[in-house]
Amino acid sequence: MIGKIMVAGVIIAVVAITAVIVFSMQQGSGGANVAAAPNVKFVSFDADRKGIKVGEATNMFYNVQNFEERAIEDARVTIMIEPSGFEPYLSISNQTVDLPQLLGKDAATGEIKVSITAKSTPAKEAVYVVKGVLLVEGIQTDTKQFELKISQPTGIAE
């Protein structure tokens, strides 16, 4: 009987130690991924007009900068619009852009232009969130956003 209790105690101890080791390894690898995210960020992300009428367009501009000491060769920006289902109402030029190489610290892309055109609106007025997502080496390193208001034309010369 005492032998069975000792064997059960050893098994429980081995299971507990194994669980602690596995948990520690998972925590360690999660922290390493966060630390490994390249330091590449938006330095600007804005539109020339944040309120447009159906039939008009706005130009948005963004610039991305490398704060790493090394070159960055794999970076892209994707422009997303929320809520989803915006496609019948808005069109976007250059929705995803593969960025040029950022050859070292403080290298920047320069101003990149994206046009958003209001084709129609689901109501008299609609507000969308325009979001830029920056992916570097497959890791999201930054996001920026602004609101864009679309309205019906009034029919009166403005």
Side-chain angles (χ1 to χ4, degrees):
M1 178 84 157
I2 294 177
K4 288 182 182 180
I5 294 173
M6 287 179 54
V7 169
V10 169
I11 291 172
I12 291 172
V14 168
V15 168
I17 290 170
T18 302
V20 167
I21 290 170
V22 168
F23 181 75
S24 296
M25 288 174 61
Q26 288 175 344
Q27 293 295 324
S29 68
N33 287 341
V34 171
N39 190 6
V40 179
K41 305 285 183 201
F42 285 108
V43 289
S44 64
F45 186 88
D46 209 356
D48 59 359
R49 297 170 51 204
K50 294 183 183 169
I52 59 175
K53 296 187 182 315
V54 172
E56 297 178 340
T58 185
N59 294 312
M60 59 165 292
F61 302 92
Y62 61 86
N63 190 353
V64 172
Q65 186 170 344
N66 179 13
F67 296 97
E68 293 282 331
E69 295 292 336
R70 63 184 175 89
I72 299 294
E73 297 181 15
D74 178 20
R76 78 178 40 93
V77 171
T78 300
I79 305 300
M80 302 167 67
I81 297 182
E82 297 172 349
S84 61
F86 69 88
E87 292 85 356
Y89 309 109
L90 301 172
S91 66
I92 308 170
S93 71
N94 303 325
Q95 188 165 3
T96 298
V97 174
D98 289 325
L99 300 178
Q101 288 185 358
L102 299 167
L103 296 176
K105 186 169 176 67
D106 297 328
T109 59
E111 195 170 74
I112 296 174
K113 175 182 165 184
V114 175
S115 294
I116 301 173
T117 303
K119 299 186 292 185
S120 99
T121 183
K124 182 177 179 182
E125 185 175 284
V127 177
Y128 296 93
V129 175
V130 178
K131 182 185 288 186
V133 178
L134 175 59
L135 291 172
V136 179
E137 299 168 351
I139 301 169
Q140 182 176 319
T141 62
D142 200 8
T143 61
K144 295 288 183 190
Q145 67 184 37
F146 61 85
E147 287 188 348
L148 177 63
K149 184 168 108 177
I150 310 298
S151 57
Q152 292 286 343
T154 59
I156 301 171
E158 296 179 28

Short mmCIF file of all heavy atoms in Angstrom, two decimals, residues 61-98:
data_model
loop_
_atom_site.label_atom_id
_atom_site.label_comp_id
_atom_site.label_asym_id
_atom_site.label_seq_id
_atom_site.Cartn_x
_atom_site.Cartn_y
_atom_site.Cartn_z
N PHE A 61 -2.27 59.87 -47.51
CA PHE A 61 -0.82 59.74 -47.66
C PHE A 61 -0.26 59.09 -46.41
O PHE A 61 -0.72 59.36 -45.30
CB PHE A 61 -0.18 61.13 -47.82
CG PHE A 61 -0.73 61.90 -48.99
CD1 PHE A 61 -1.81 62.76 -48.84
CD2 PHE A 61 -0.17 61.74 -50.24
CE1 PHE A 61 -2.31 63.46 -49.91
CE2 PHE A 61 -0.68 62.45 -51.34
CZ PHE A 61 -1.75 63.31 -51.17
N TYR A 62 0.74 58.24 -46.60
CA TYR A 62 1.44 57.69 -45.45
C TYR A 62 2.92 57.57 -45.76
O TYR A 62 3.34 57.59 -46.92
CB TYR A 62 0.85 56.35 -45.01
CG TYR A 62 0.88 55.23 -46.02
CD1 TYR A 62 2.01 54.42 -46.16
CD2 TYR A 62 -0.22 54.97 -46.82
CE1 TYR A 62 2.03 53.40 -47.09
CE2 TYR A 62 -0.21 53.95 -47.73
CZ TYR A 62 0.92 53.16 -47.86
OH TYR A 62 0.94 52.13 -48.77
N ASN A 63 3.69 57.52 -44.70
CA ASN A 63 5.14 57.38 -44.79
C ASN A 63 5.54 56.42 -43.67
O ASN A 63 5.04 56.52 -42.56
CB ASN A 63 5.81 58.75 -44.60
CG ASN A 63 7.29 58.74 -44.91
OD1 ASN A 63 7.89 57.69 -45.16
ND2 ASN A 63 7.89 59.91 -44.88
N VAL A 64 6.44 55.51 -43.98
CA VAL A 64 6.90 54.49 -43.04
C VAL A 64 8.39 54.66 -42.84
O VAL A 64 9.13 54.91 -43.80
CB VAL A 64 6.59 53.07 -43.58
CG1 VAL A 64 7.22 52.00 -42.72
CG2 VAL A 64 5.08 52.88 -43.68
N GLN A 65 8.84 54.53 -41.58
CA GLN A 65 10.26 54.70 -41.27
C GLN A 65 10.81 53.48 -40.55
O GLN A 65 10.13 52.87 -39.72
CB GLN A 65 10.47 55.94 -40.41
CG GLN A 65 11.94 56.25 -40.17
CD GLN A 65 12.14 57.62 -39.54
OE1 GLN A 65 11.24 58.45 -39.53
NE2 GLN A 65 13.32 57.85 -39.03
N ASN A 66 12.06 53.15 -40.86
CA ASN A 66 12.79 52.05 -40.24
C ASN A 66 13.60 52.60 -39.08
O ASN A 66 14.43 53.49 -39.26
CB ASN A 66 13.72 51.39 -41.27
CG ASN A 66 14.53 50.25 -40.70
OD1 ASN A 66 14.26 49.76 -39.62
ND2 ASN A 66 15.52 49.82 -41.45
N PHE A 67 13.38 52.08 -37.89
CA PHE A 67 14.16 52.48 -36.72
C PHE A 67 15.18 51.40 -36.32
O PHE A 67 15.82 51.51 -35.29
CB PHE A 67 13.22 52.81 -35.55
CG PHE A 67 12.32 53.98 -35.83
CD1 PHE A 67 11.03 53.80 -36.29
CD2 PHE A 67 12.78 55.28 -35.67
CE1 PHE A 67 10.20 54.88 -36.57
CE2 PHE A 67 11.96 56.37 -35.95
CZ PHE A 67 10.67 56.17 -36.40
N GLU A 68 15.28 50.37 -37.16
CA GLU A 68 16.24 49.29 -36.93
C GLU A 68 17.61 49.67 -37.51
O GLU A 68 17.69 50.46 -38.45
CB GLU A 68 15.77 48.00 -37.63
CG GLU A 68 14.52 47.41 -37.07
CD GLU A 68 14.76 46.64 -35.78
OE1 GLU A 68 15.85 46.10 -35.59
OE2 GLU A 68 13.83 46.60 -34.96
N GLU A 69 18.66 49.07 -36.98
CA GLU A 69 20.01 49.29 -37.51
C GLU A 69 20.23 48.52 -38.80
O GLU A 69 21.13 48.82 -39.56
CB GLU A 69 21.07 48.85 -36.48
CG GLU A 69 21.07 49.68 -35.21
CD GLU A 69 21.56 51.11 -35.44
OE1 GLU A 69 22.29 51.37 -36.41
OE2 GLU A 69 21.17 51.99 -34.65
N ARG A 70 19.39 47.53 -39.07
CA ARG A 70 19.56 46.67 -40.24
C ARG A 70 18.57 47.05 -41.34
O ARG A 70 17.59 47.76 -41.10
CB ARG A 70 19.36 45.21 -39.84
CG ARG A 70 17.97 44.92 -39.34
CD ARG A 70 17.81 43.47 -38.87
NE ARG A 70 16.52 43.23 -38.30
CZ ARG A 70 15.46 42.84 -38.98
NH1 ARG A 70 15.53 42.67 -40.27
NH2 ARG A 70 14.30 42.62 -38.36
N ALA A 71 18.83 46.55 -42.54
CA ALA A 71 17.92 46.78 -43.66
C ALA A 71 16.64 45.97 -43.49
O ALA A 71 16.67 44.86 -42.96
CB ALA A 71 18.60 46.40 -44.97
N ILE A 72 15.54 46.53 -43.94
CA ILE A 72 14.25 45.85 -43.95
C ILE A 72 13.85 45.66 -45.41
O ILE A 72 13.73 46.64 -46.15
CB ILE A 72 13.17 46.66 -43.20
CG1 ILE A 72 13.56 46.88 -41.74
CG2 ILE A 72 11.80 46.03 -43.33
CD1 ILE A 72 13.61 45.63 -40.88
N GLU A 73 13.64 44.41 -45.80
CA GLU A 73 13.34 44.11 -47.20
C GLU A 73 11.91 43.62 -47.41
O GLU A 73 11.43 43.61 -48.53
CB GLU A 73 14.32 43.07 -47.73
CG GLU A 73 15.75 43.57 -47.73
CD GLU A 73 16.72 42.55 -48.29
OE1 GLU A 73 16.28 41.58 -48.92
OE2 GLU A 73 17.93 42.74 -48.07
N ASP A 74 11.24 43.18 -46.35
CA ASP A 74 9.91 42.59 -46.49
C ASP A 74 8.92 43.38 -45.65
O ASP A 74 8.72 43.08 -44.47
CB ASP A 74 9.94 41.11 -46.05
CG ASP A 74 8.59 40.44 -46.11
OD1 ASP A 74 7.70 40.95 -46.82
OD2 ASP A 74 8.41 39.41 -45.44
N ALA A 75 8.31 44.39 -46.25
CA ALA A 75 7.32 45.20 -45.53
C ALA A 75 6.21 45.57 -46.50
O ALA A 75 6.45 45.80 -47.69
CB ALA A 75 7.97 46.45 -44.96
N ARG A 76 4.99 45.62 -45.97
CA ARG A 76 3.85 46.01 -46.80
C ARG A 76 2.81 46.71 -45.94
O ARG A 76 2.72 46.47 -44.74
CB ARG A 76 3.25 44.82 -47.53
CG ARG A 76 2.36 43.93 -46.72
CD ARG A 76 1.75 42.79 -47.53
NE ARG A 76 2.65 42.19 -48.47
CZ ARG A 76 3.41 41.13 -48.23
NH1 ARG A 76 3.37 40.55 -47.07
NH2 ARG A 76 4.21 40.67 -49.15
N VAL A 77 2.05 47.58 -46.60
CA VAL A 77 0.94 48.27 -45.94
C VAL A 77 -0.35 47.87 -46.65
O VAL A 77 -0.41 47.88 -47.88
CB VAL A 77 1.12 49.80 -46.00
CG1 VAL A 77 -0.15 50.51 -45.52
CG2 VAL A 77 2.31 50.24 -45.18
N THR A 78 -1.34 47.51 -45.85
CA THR A 78 -2.67 47.22 -46.38
C THR A 78 -3.65 48.21 -45.79
O THR A 78 -3.66 48.44 -44.58
CB THR A 78 -3.10 45.78 -46.02
OG1 THR A 78 -2.16 44.87 -46.60
CG2 THR A 78 -4.48 45.46 -46.55
N ILE A 79 -4.45 48.81 -46.66
CA ILE A 79 -5.49 49.74 -46.22
C ILE A 79 -6.79 48.95 -46.09
O ILE A 79 -7.22 48.28 -47.03
CB ILE A 79 -5.67 50.90 -47.22
CG1 ILE A 79 -4.35 51.62 -47.46
CG2 ILE A 79 -6.77 51.85 -46.73
CD1 ILE A 79 -3.72 52.23 -46.23
N MET A 80 -7.38 49.02 -44.91
CA MET A 80 -8.65 48.33 -44.64
C MET A 80 -9.70 49.38 -44.30
O MET A 80 -9.36 50.43 -43.76
CB MET A 80 -8.46 47.37 -43.47
CG MET A 80 -7.36 46.35 -43.73
SD MET A 80 -6.86 45.45 -42.26
CE MET A 80 -8.31 44.52 -41.92
N ILE A 81 -10.93 49.07 -44.62
CA ILE A 81 -12.03 49.98 -44.30
C ILE A 81 -13.06 49.20 -43.50
O ILE A 81 -13.42 48.08 -43.85
CB ILE A 81 -12.64 50.60 -45.57
CG1 ILE A 81 -11.57 51.45 -46.27
CG2 ILE A 81 -13.87 51.43 -45.22
CD1 ILE A 81 -12.03 52.17 -47.50
N GLU A 82 -13.50 49.80 -42.42
CA GLU A 82 -14.50 49.19 -41.54
C GLU A 82 -15.71 50.10 -41.50
O GLU A 82 -15.55 51.32 -41.49
CB GLU A 82 -13.93 49.00 -40.14
CG GLU A 82 -12.76 48.05 -40.11
CD GLU A 82 -12.06 48.01 -38.75
OE1 GLU A 82 -12.36 48.87 -37.88
OE2 GLU A 82 -11.22 47.13 -38.56
N PRO A 83 -16.91 49.60 -41.46
CA PRO A 83 -17.24 48.19 -41.40
C PRO A 83 -17.00 47.51 -42.75
O PRO A 83 -16.92 48.17 -43.79
CB PRO A 83 -18.71 48.16 -41.02
CG PRO A 83 -19.25 49.45 -41.53
CD PRO A 83 -18.13 50.44 -41.44
N SER A 84 -16.92 46.19 -42.71
CA SER A 84 -16.74 45.43 -43.94
C SER A 84 -17.99 45.58 -44.80
O SER A 84 -19.03 46.03 -44.33
CB SER A 84 -16.48 43.96 -43.61
OG SER A 84 -17.58 43.42 -42.92
N GLY A 85 -17.88 45.24 -46.05
CA GLY A 85 -19.00 45.40 -46.97
C GLY A 85 -19.04 46.79 -47.59
O GLY A 85 -20.05 47.20 -48.15
N PHE A 86 -17.93 47.50 -47.54
CA PHE A 86 -17.85 48.87 -48.07
C PHE A 86 -17.72 48.89 -49.59
O PHE A 86 -17.92 49.93 -50.23
CB PHE A 86 -16.63 49.60 -47.47
CG PHE A 86 -15.32 49.05 -47.94
CD1 PHE A 86 -14.73 49.51 -49.10
CD2 PHE A 86 -14.69 48.03 -47.24
CE1 PHE A 86 -13.52 48.98 -49.55
CE2 PHE A 86 -13.50 47.50 -47.68
CZ PHE A 86 -12.91 47.98 -48.84
N GLU A 87 -17.39 47.76 -50.22
CA GLU A 87 -17.03 47.71 -51.63
C GLU A 87 -18.05 48.36 -52.58
O GLU A 87 -17.65 49.01 -53.54
CB GLU A 87 -16.73 46.28 -52.07
CG GLU A 87 -15.49 45.70 -51.46
CD GLU A 87 -15.70 45.08 -50.07
OE1 GLU A 87 -16.82 45.15 -49.51
OE2 GLU A 87 -14.73 44.53 -49.53
N PRO A 88 -19.37 48.23 -52.36
CA PRO A 88 -20.30 48.90 -53.28
C PRO A 88 -20.26 50.43 -53.17
O PRO A 88 -20.72 51.12 -54.06
CB PRO A 88 -21.67 48.38 -52.86
CG PRO A 88 -21.42 47.19 -52.02
CD PRO A 88 -20.07 47.36 -51.42
N TYR A 89 -19.69 50.93 -52.09
CA TYR A 89 -19.77 52.37 -51.82
C TYR A 89 -18.44 53.10 -52.02
O TYR A 89 -18.44 54.29 -52.31
CB TYR A 89 -20.26 52.59 -50.38
CG TYR A 89 -21.50 51.81 -50.09
CD1 TYR A 89 -21.49 50.72 -49.24
CD2 TYR A 89 -22.71 52.15 -50.70
CE1 TYR A 89 -22.65 49.98 -48.98
CE2 TYR A 89 -23.87 51.42 -50.46
CZ TYR A 89 -23.82 50.34 -49.60
OH TYR A 89 -24.96 49.61 -49.37
N LEU A 90 -17.32 52.42 -51.84
CA LEU A 90 -16.00 53.06 -51.93
C LEU A 90 -15.07 52.23 -52.80
O LEU A 90 -15.15 51.00 -52.80
CB LEU A 90 -15.37 53.17 -50.53
CG LEU A 90 -16.12 53.95 -49.47
CD1 LEU A 90 -15.44 53.79 -48.12
CD2 LEU A 90 -16.21 55.42 -49.85
N SER A 91 -14.18 52.91 -53.51
CA SER A 91 -13.11 52.20 -54.21
C SER A 91 -11.78 52.75 -53.71
O SER A 91 -11.67 53.94 -53.38
CB SER A 91 -13.23 52.34 -55.72
OG SER A 91 -13.04 53.68 -56.12
N ILE A 92 -10.79 51.87 -53.66
CA ILE A 92 -9.46 52.23 -53.12
C ILE A 92 -8.41 51.89 -54.16
O ILE A 92 -8.38 50.77 -54.67
CB ILE A 92 -9.14 51.44 -51.84
CG1 ILE A 92 -10.25 51.55 -50.83
CG2 ILE A 92 -7.82 51.89 -51.25
CD1 ILE A 92 -10.08 50.60 -49.66
N SER A 93 -7.54 52.85 -54.45
CA SER A 93 -6.38 52.54 -55.28
C SER A 93 -5.25 52.09 -54.36
O SER A 93 -5.17 52.53 -53.22
CB SER A 93 -5.93 53.79 -56.05
OG SER A 93 -5.34 54.73 -55.17
N ASN A 94 -4.42 51.20 -54.81
CA ASN A 94 -3.25 50.76 -54.02
C ASN A 94 -3.63 50.28 -52.63
O ASN A 94 -3.05 50.71 -51.65
CB ASN A 94 -2.21 51.88 -53.90
CG ASN A 94 -1.75 52.38 -55.24
OD1 ASN A 94 -1.63 51.61 -56.19
ND2 ASN A 94 -1.50 53.67 -55.34
N GLN A 95 -4.61 49.38 -52.56
CA GLN A 95 -5.07 48.91 -51.25
C GLN A 95 -3.94 48.19 -50.50
O GLN A 95 -3.85 48.31 -49.28
CB GLN A 95 -6.27 47.99 -51.40
CG GLN A 95 -6.89 47.64 -50.08
CD GLN A 95 -8.27 47.04 -50.22
OE1 GLN A 95 -8.78 46.82 -51.31
NE2 GLN A 95 -8.90 46.77 -49.09
N THR A 96 -3.09 47.45 -51.20
CA THR A 96 -1.92 46.83 -50.58
C THR A 96 -0.69 47.26 -51.35
O THR A 96 -0.65 47.14 -52.57
CB THR A 96 -2.03 45.30 -50.57
OG1 THR A 96 -3.18 44.92 -49.81
CG2 THR A 96 -0.80 44.65 -49.96
N VAL A 97 0.30 47.77 -50.63
CA VAL A 97 1.54 48.23 -51.25
C VAL A 97 2.72 47.50 -50.62
O VAL A 97 2.88 47.53 -49.39
CB VAL A 97 1.72 49.76 -51.07
CG1 VAL A 97 3.08 50.22 -51.58
CG2 VAL A 97 0.60 50.52 -51.77
N ASP A 98 3.51 46.83 -51.46
CA ASP A 98 4.78 46.27 -51.00
C ASP A 98 5.76 47.42 -50.95
O ASP A 98 6.01 48.09 -51.97
CB ASP A 98 5.28 45.18 -51.95
CG ASP A 98 4.44 43.91 -51.87
OD1 ASP A 98 3.96 43.59 -50.77
OD2 ASP A 98 4.25 43.27 -52.91
#
